[in-house]
Amino acid sequence: MTTMSSIWPLFDLRLTTPRLELRPITDQDIPAAVDAARSGIHEPTRNPFSTPWTALPGDELGPNMARWYWRCRGEFTPEHWTLLLGIWHEGQFIGCQDVGAKDFAVLKTVTTGSWLKKSVQGRGLGREMRAAVVLWAFDWLGAEVAESEAAAWNSASLGVSRSLGYELNGTSRKAWGTKVETLQHVRLTPDTFKRPEWSLQVQGHEAVAKFLDVR
């Protein structure tokens, strides 16, 4: 009998840290993701997202998030992919960590982005979830570079990057809603990575690697 795991093995991936479980967001998880986002992610006066999706009215936020999750899944190919991992802490959905790549077979480079609901910020969970996907990328996928970016004023995100060993990698200007922001790019390699003291537990990787055509 054909199973969902044989069709879409990404759903079986699990990354486990001392405090967190990261796993791909399914349709059943979307309501919890929407509730987490509605609870608040950032101060209303400054949006850390270039596309101000958190500013949408409550009745539009859910459909917009669902469309994004479905779009990333629908456009997922080994050549160009974005994997959206939900973050669970003490049984509760608290945020999302994405990791993606384009032409990974050649470039061996991944990019990351994330959000965490405001009520659990300041506990080091953002660093832990970023470390998890970087460990997976370097040690299981064979990535050679991990890149990220944040608005130059976003000290929290840049602080996480700095604590993990990311190096500054230039700036650019980007449309930020109706304004312009300076974007700080950062770059990490296995040599500069400040590895956590804990070990990452990974389940379901072999089928995912085959699905991604990672050799």
Side-chain angles (χ1 to χ4, degrees), residues 9-23:
L10 297 170
F11 284 146
D12 290 340
L13 182 67
R14 298 288 184 276
L15 308 182
T16 306
T17 73
R19 295 184 291 174
L20 305 173
E21 182 180 66
L22 291 76
R23 64 178 190 261

Side-chain angles (χ1 to χ4, degrees), residues 26-193:
T26 67
D27 286 359
Q28 290 72 30
D29 299 322
I30 293 176
V34 173
D35 285 343
R38 282 177 174 160
S39 74
I41 298 174
H42 57 83
E43 297 296 337
T45 55
R46 215 163 202 185
N47 198 319
F49 307 114
S50 58
T51 300
W53 61 275
T54 53
L56 290 172
D59 60 346
E60 295 180 25
L61 180 64
N64 184 68
M65 291 176 68
R67 280 192 292 268
W68 172 242
Y69 298 148
W70 293 331
R71 177 183 173 186
C72 289
R73 206 182 301 162
E75 296 180 351
F76 198 109
T77 67
E79 294 75 30
H80 193 180
W81 51 272
T82 300
L83 179 61
L84 302 175
L85 298 167
I87 311 300
W88 275 262
H89 173 59
E90 298 179 346
Q92 299 295 316
F93 187 106
I94 62 169
C96 179
Q97 174 72 63
D98 67 63
V99 56
K102 186 175 182 180
D103 297 324
F104 182 80
V106 177
L107 299 176
K108 301 293 184 183
T109 298
V110 297
T111 59
T112 65
S114 65
W115 61 265
L116 197 61
K117 70 177 187 176
K118 195 173 180 182
S119 63
V120 298
Q121 292 174 16
R123 304 182 192 177
L125 299 177
R127 184 180 190 276
E128 194 167 319
M129 64 200 225
R130 177 99 69 89
V133 293
V134 170
L135 284 166
W136 180 59
F138 285 161
D139 296 349
W140 274 265
L141 293 179
E144 298 172 359
V145 177
E147 296 178 333
S148 190
E149 61 187 30
W153 53 261
N154 193 340
S155 58
S157 177
L158 295 174
V160 167
S161 297
R162 184 170 55 253
S163 72
L164 291 173
Y166 284 79
E167 298 176 337
L168 300 181
N169 194 34
T171 61
S172 63
R173 282 163 52 87
K174 186 172 184 178
W176 214 260
T178 59
K179 300 179 180 179
V180 176
E181 289 282 5
T182 297
L183 206 62
Q184 177 66 62
H185 303 274
V186 292
R187 184 177 188 270
L188 184 69
T189 67
D191 290 338
T192 60
F193 182 30

